[in-house]
Structure formats: C-alpha cells, structure tokens
Amino acid sequence: MVESSVVRIGGDLPVCRMGFGAMKLTGPGVWGPPDDEDNARSVLRRAIDLGVNFIDTADVYGPGDNERIIADALSPYREGTVIGTKAGLVRSAGPATRENPGISMNGSAQHIRTSIEGSLRRLRLECIDLYQLHRVDPNVSIEETIDVFRALRGEGKIRHIGLSEVDVDQIKRAQSVVEIATVQNIYNLATRKHEDVLAYCEANAIAFIPFWPLHSGDLAKSEVVQDVARRLDATAAQVALAWLLQKSRSVIVIPGTSSIDHLEQNVKALEVQLSPTDLEALEQMVA
Ligand SMILES: NC(=O)c1ccc[n+]([C@@H]2O[C@H](COP(=O)([O-])OP(=O)(O)OC[C@H]3O[C@@H](n4cnc5c(N)ncnc54)[C@H](OP(=O)(O)O)[C@@H]3O)[C@@H](O)[C@H]2O)c1
C-alpha cells in the first residue's frame, strides 16, 4: 500500500483509505441475503485483490447474512484484512422502508455480549479488529455501553473500538471510558452536518469513516458532480469519493456496490486530484 493512501486504525492497524461498505450485499431493504450470493462473494474477493483491506459490516445487515457472506467469500482472511462490524441495533422482521426502518436501539450489556458472540461465529474470527457501537441507546448511558466494549477488549474479543452517529460530546464521554479508534457518521458532498465531528477526529487521531459516501448513489447522478468529473476525465462517483479523501487525511471511505465495474471505478478515486477550481464548483452541493 502507498503510505499516502493508508490510515492506521488505533495507531497500529494499517488500512487502505479506500475501504468497502458491504451493507448493500443483502436483500432489498437490507433484509435477508442478496439475490445473487455468487456475485456478492465475487465483489468482496475483487475488492481484496484491488488492495482494499477494510470491510465494513454490521450484525443487523441481513441480519447476520452480510457477515456470513463476508466470511464465505474471504475466510480464511488474507493477512492484513480488517473487518469492522457493529452492535447496538435490533431489526424487527421484514425489509426496511423509508416509512418504517424497523430498527430499535439496544445498548445493554446483555445485548452487546450476545451480539458479539454471533458476529465472531458468523465472521469466523476469534477477535474483531474494529467493533463499533452502531447507535447510542437513549435508555442506556454511553459510558455504560462502552464499558462493555472495554471489557470485551480486555477479554481479547475486540482489538479497537469505534462509534457511529455520535456528536463530539458523546465521543468525549466514550473516551472517558476507553480509547476510541474510529467514528462512523453520515458525511458526504451533500450532507456535511458533522464538520465539527470530523475536525475533532482529525485533532485526536481518530479515523473518520463517512457513511453514505455517495449519498446512497445520488452523487453519482448529480449534474454538478458530473460536470467536474467531465473536466477530469473521471466519473462522478470518483469525484465524490476523491472529495472525501482530499477533505482530511483521517478519512477512510467505504463506498458500497454490488457491481465489479463500479468497484474498480471507485478504487481508482485514490488517484483523482481535485483542483481549487473543482473544489469551488463542488461547494454548490452543500445542502
Ligand atoms: N453506520 C451507519 O449507521 C451506516 C448507515 C448506512 C451505511 N453505512 C455504511 O456505509 C456503507 C456505504 O453505504 P451505502 O452502500 O448505503 O451507500 P453509498 O456507498 O453512498 O452508495 C451506494 C450506492 O451507490 C451505487 N454506486 C456505487 N458505486 C457507484 C459508481 N461507481 N457509479 C454509480 N453508482 C455507484 C451503488 O449501486 P451499485 O450496486 O449499482 O453500484 C449503491 O446503490 C455501507 O455499506 C455501510 O457499511 C453505515
């Protein structure tokens, strides 16, 4: 890996800043397995062949199917492969819709301990390199939930701990319990409400993992982004990813795709350089 394209999670785990978000390798509404599991496995293997070594998943994707497919495709894992999974959400039965995401939070010790056993089994791992709290449960203090993560790390089941959809105050509260290696919040060209979190992560050696880097695919279709892409002989998806990579050296991107063509295209975003004129043009994307 070229040093400029690497972030060290927790200071010791080198990952390529071009990661892969596996969530969409499930059925519609992130429910059940994908229609074409062979394709899902091929995409994951191609990602590793292209030098991607960080795969992001969660126990609720499927639920369970996404982690199982990752292990089916990649286990035994190539040395240096880093799997990040998450706990703290519970899915009610059936595909998620905009009206009914079918998700609730559970940050209790009992839930997290049950979740990690399922993730370790499905992923065929003895230790999870990056275990992320998917959402803070409003009924359980973040200190109490993160203390369970701290205990699991002491038991050798977790290497590093991350948070998702948190504000700066919540990160500081979690850090009062244990070191936090990563934060995964929504952030992309069109959605920038977490600028303060990104700045905090950068200042505190926390890797920042923007989820929905392509705004769930919308940025690949945006005319503003396509205009910039044409000038660079790149694609709009590459421009949206390059913008994130250029935004901060702390960023690891995790675009999701079920297409090998799109995957190959996305990985090449590491080579796209945006000029000040391009960056100015992209400012129109701020929501
Ligand atoms: N922490 C959280 O709460 C949270 C929430 C949401 C997501 N996430 C994480 O973020 C990851 C990424 O999210 P996401 O997959 O929902 O959204 P995304 O990466 O922003 O966009 C994925 C969409 O973009 C399309 N796409 C990808 N590459 C493309 C390209 N080169 N050209 C055109 N279209 C392209 C994909 O369709 P094709 O399949 O056709 O390529 C897919 O529909 C997830 O896998 C998950 O790991 C985390």
Side-chain angles (χ1 to χ4, degrees):
M1 276 186 280
V2 185
E3 191 55 32
S4 61
S5 67
V6 171
V7 165
R8 284 172 208 284
I9 290 182
D12 70 350
L13 269 185
V15 302
C16 175
R17 297 177 67 212
M18 178 59 62
F20 181 80
M23 181 179 84
K24 291 260 166 69
L25 301 180
T26 49
V30 198
W31 186 257
D35 290 343
D36 188 345
E37 281 202 30
D38 283 344
N39 175 65
R41 285 190 291 271
S42 301
V43 170
L44 287 159
R45 290 184 187 126
R46 183 74 184 128
I48 299 292
D49 283 343
L50 289 169
V52 170
N53 72 332
F54 175 59
I55 311 285
D56 185 73
T57 179
D59 61 346
V60 280
Y61 300 164
D65 295 288
N66 201 240
E67 292 179 326
R68 174 185 58 76
I69 288 167
I70 289 169
D72 285 348
L74 304 181
S75 170
Y77 298 95
R78 191 177 293 182
E79 199 183 339
T81 302
V82 173
I83 308 291
T85 191
K86 316 185 192 81
L89 288 181
V90 181
R91 282 292 298 270
S92 51
T97 61
R98 272 188 203 275
E99 301 71 42
N100 179 19
I103 284 181
S104 55
M105 294 155 202
N106 190 339
S108 69
Q110 189 188 18
H111 176 71
I112 302 296
R113 283 195 168 274
T114 306
S115 295
I116 196 166
E117 293 309 326
S119 291
L120 286 166
R121 190 184 65 250
R122 286 186 295 271
L123 288 166
R124 295 177 219 153
L125 288 170
E126 286 178 5
C127 175
I128 291 168
D129 279 331
L130 179 65
Y131 204 46
Q132 304 158 97
L133 174 59
H134 211 152
R135 286 292 182 281
V136 179
D137 181 343
N139 299 313
V140 184
S141 78
I142 188 165
E143 288 87 348
E144 195 178 326
T145 305
I146 286 300
D147 197 47
V148 186
F149 282 60
R150 186 194 55 74
L152 290 168
R153 195 179 71 166
E155 293 162 28
K157 293 180 177 174
I158 298 178
R159 186 145 167 198
H160 290 297
I161 295 168
L163 304 171
S164 174
E165 273 306 270
V166 283
D167 60 29
V168 171
D169 182 54
Q170 288 170 321
I171 302 172
K172 288 181 181 168
R173 287 175 59 186
Q175 285 178 307
S176 73
V177 179
V178 71
E179 297 87 354
I180 297 300
T182 63
V183 167
Q184 183 173 143
N185 279 11
I186 186 167
Y187 187 80
N188 57 48
L189 258 174
T191 311
R192 305 195 200 168
K193 65 178 177 175
H194 288 301
E195 294 279 2
D196 60 334
V197 174
L198 172 55
Y200 183 82
C201 289
E202 207 171 31
N204 288 277
I206 296 172
F208 183 78
I209 307 171
F211 78 70
W212 273 16
L214 300 174
H215 206 66
S216 201
D218 289 353
L219 289 169
K221 298 174 203 138
S222 149
E223 279 187 25
V224 175
V225 188
Q226 282 174 351
D227 276 352
V228 173
R230 267 190 289 276
R231 287 208 295 265
L232 292 163
D233 199 16
T235 68
Q238 287 172 333
V239 167
L241 296 171
W243 181 84
L244 285 167
L245 292 165
Q246 232 168 288
K247 182 81 188 169
S248 163
R249 284 279 303 122
S250 307
V251 162
I252 303 167
V253 292
I254 50 166
T257 181
S258 49
S259 145
I260 289 191
D261 280 355
H262 285 168
L263 169 71
E264 290 175 348
Q265 197 187 102
N266 295 347
V267 169
K268 289 203 180 115
L270 284 167
E271 294 155 25
V272 173
Q273 274 299 317
L274 302 173
S275 69
T277 314
D278 300 326
L279 294 171
E280 202 183 310
L282 292 169
E283 282 313 299
Q284 292 175 56
M285 292 303 302
V286 185

